[in-house]
Amino acid sequence: MTVTRHFVLAAGGTGGHMIPAHALAAELMKRGHRVALVTDDRGARIPGLFDGVQTHVLPAGRISKSPAALWAAARSILAGRAMAIRLYETFEPTAVIGFGGYPALPALLGALKAGIPTAVHEQNAVLGRVNRLLAGRVDAIATAYPDVKRLAARHAGKVHLVGNPVRDEVMALRGEPFPALEEDGIFRLLVTGGSQGATILSSVVPDALGLLPLNFRRRMQVTQQCRAEDIDRVRAIYADFGIPADLATYLPDLPERLGWSHLVIARAGASTVAELTVAGRPAILVPLPSATDDHQTYNVAEAVAAGGARSIPQHLFTAVELAKQMQKLALEPGSLANAARRMWQCGRPNATSDLADLLEGLGAVPVQTLVPASSGRPAVPNGEGALA
């Protein structure tokens, strides 16, 4: 019989933190538990997430080197911690888990003060600032990658490799075959730069496709996410090259488009990499150079080492280099299907359920030993990406 428990999920107001938290909330509620969300104003405004979940917006200061800003941040954090403690007195959570971002800090500090079991989940391959700050005090650290930078060796005993939760629509792609690609068939390319698009992709990708051999260009069909100010320019370039292109600032059906794509060009955010590996889609990734601690470069390291993706640093991301990498992947027999299979092997499809198991164990029974870094791989699909 399921014992109903209460859990608090704390996440900063960006999609990278909120989407994994949303997936966990849905899983916990499916198991009969009650969930509350702690976030900031940005997180509370993200549409389509945490429907039916009680949401609490707490003050959370951003830590900086400025003495004046640091004092203001400390006051906000302490106020947020006090509000969190009052919430816990009425909600009585079994455990509190933070997903990174400064809004998670007061919620976790409040839980530590109240003696409530705690965990953090790190989506990236570099431990984030808030998670680093609390790593020594929480009961469990869930990671998305086997090798996480800036995670101290002394914390190894509390680390659990679970992966990054992804949307159900993406999970459904895991059992689907890699789209068949005939010698003269349509080659479908998906280009996405995250929720706001990426100007660098809009600047480089169209020119790169123009450098491809004519017979390859004639097979291309492009779906590309662009910033609003880039769409007309990008559309004109594709028209000049005679390449059919569907451009939009937002792709609500992104999982469907991912399903029939032969190649993806994207940034290397944690959610993007997780979805590509779960679905098993080869990719050329361009890490965002301004990402904190260069974490996007490390996010893609596992997939690159496995042979499922190629990574091009932004300062080397030119039309010539991209065209060269695309031809190596797309025009050599079997290269795409092989890359898709290797990408699929990097996926961790049980991330959401493993994370829920971990959280259920806190404060109830000893923390469960989940997927170790050296194992836990599912069966390998055949050469076309279908499950063997």
Side-chain angles (χ1 to χ4, degrees):
M1 181 179 69
T2 300
V3 177
T4 298
R5 301 174 192 154
H6 296 181
F7 296 99
V8 171
L9 281 54
T14 66
H17 299 309
M18 296 290 287
I19 290 174
H22 169 74
L24 176 62
E27 176 67 20
L28 290 172
M29 290 188 293
K30 189 187 304 180
R31 297 184 182 194
H33 303 307
R34 289 186 60 195
V35 174
L37 169 69
V38 170
T39 187
D40 58 6
D41 289 328
R42 293 179 304 161
R45 290 196 302 266
I46 296 177
L49 299 183
F50 293 96
D51 292 337
V53 174
Q54 62 171 278
T55 299
H56 303 267
V57 175
L58 301 187
R62 185 177 181 86
I63 299 172
S64 71
K65 295 181 180 179
S66 164
L70 186 60
W71 173 244
R75 289 196 304 174
S76 292
I77 291 168
L78 289 174
R81 185 186 71 163
M83 292 174 64
I85 291 172
R86 290 197 296 273
L87 167 64
Y88 303 153
E89 289 173 351
T90 56
F91 192 69
E92 298 182 341
T94 297
V96 177
I97 181 170
F99 285 82
Y102 287 107
L105 182 56
L108 287 166
L109 290 175
L112 291 167
K113 178 70 173 177
I116 300 167
T118 54
V120 294
H121 178 267
E122 180 54 61
Q123 300 89 53
N124 293 298
V126 181
L127 199 65
R129 290 174 182 172
V130 169
N131 287 348
R132 284 203 302 270
L133 184 65
L134 296 173
R137 302 180 64 187
V138 298
D139 298 294
I141 302 170
T143 66
Y145 297 93
D147 180 21
V148 177
K149 308 298 181 185
R150 307 199 71 171
L151 176 56
R154 65 181 179 275
H155 301 320
K158 63 173 80 173
V159 173
H160 301 263
L161 174 63
V162 299
N164 232 342
V166 301
R167 293 172 285 180
D168 289 342
E169 301 93 324
V170 175
M171 277 294 299
L173 300 175
R174 189 158 179 84
E176 298 294 325
F178 182 67
L181 182 60
E182 305 296 336
E183 185 175 346
D184 296 320
I186 294 175
F187 184 95
R188 296 184 177 89
L189 176 68
L190 174 63
V191 185
T192 174
S195 60
Q196 297 299 317
T199 295
I200 186 68
L201 300 183
S202 296
S203 299
V204 173
V205 175
D207 289 339
L209 300 193
L211 297 176
L212 296 173
L214 181 60
N215 62 337
F216 188 18
R217 287 209 313 263
R218 287 175 172 169
R219 298 169 50 203
M220 300 289 301
Q221 181 174 315
V222 178
T223 297
Q224 183 161 347
Q225 184 183 27
C226 302
R227 292 182 182 273
E229 59 268 28
D230 295 329
I231 282 186
D232 290 341
R233 175 180 56 82
V234 173
R235 182 176 288 116
I237 296 173
Y238 282 132
D240 287 344
F241 290 137
I243 298 174
D246 183 6
L247 310 180
T249 57
Y250 176 65
L251 300 172
D253 56 347
L254 184 62
E256 180 182 351
R257 293 174 185 265
L258 177 63
W260 48 249
S261 295
H262 296 107
L263 179 66
V264 178
I265 300 175
R267 287 298 196 187
S271 292
T272 296
V273 175
E275 292 188 345
L276 289 170
T277 55
V278 166
R281 292 298 180 268
I284 296 174
L285 299 173
V286 186
L288 177 68
S290 61
T292 304
D293 297 318
D294 196 25
H295 65 252
Q296 289 201 3
T297 294
Y298 295 104
N299 285 352
V300 75
E302 182 184 24
V304 169
R310 295 171 186 245
S311 179
I312 305 177
Q314 184 162 306
H315 70 281
L316 299 177
F317 186 62
T318 64
V320 171
E321 178 63 22
L322 178 58
K324 181 173 69 175
Q325 296 295 338
M326 286 188 65
Q327 288 185 80
K328 286 181 179 179
L329 265 174
L331 298 182
E332 293 180 7
S335 290
L336 275 176
N338 183 55
R341 182 172 63 252
R342 292 173 180 270
M343 202 69 158
W344 191 92
Q345 289 176 285
C346 292
R348 295 184 173 86
N350 299 323
T352 306
S353 59
D354 284 348
L355 189 55
D357 288 346
L358 174 62
L359 202 58
E360 281 185 327
L362 291 179
V365 295
V367 176
Q368 300 175 32
T369 299
L370 296 177
V371 186
S374 59
S375 66
R377 296 294 191 211
V380 180
N382 63 32
E384 293 302 316
L387 299 182

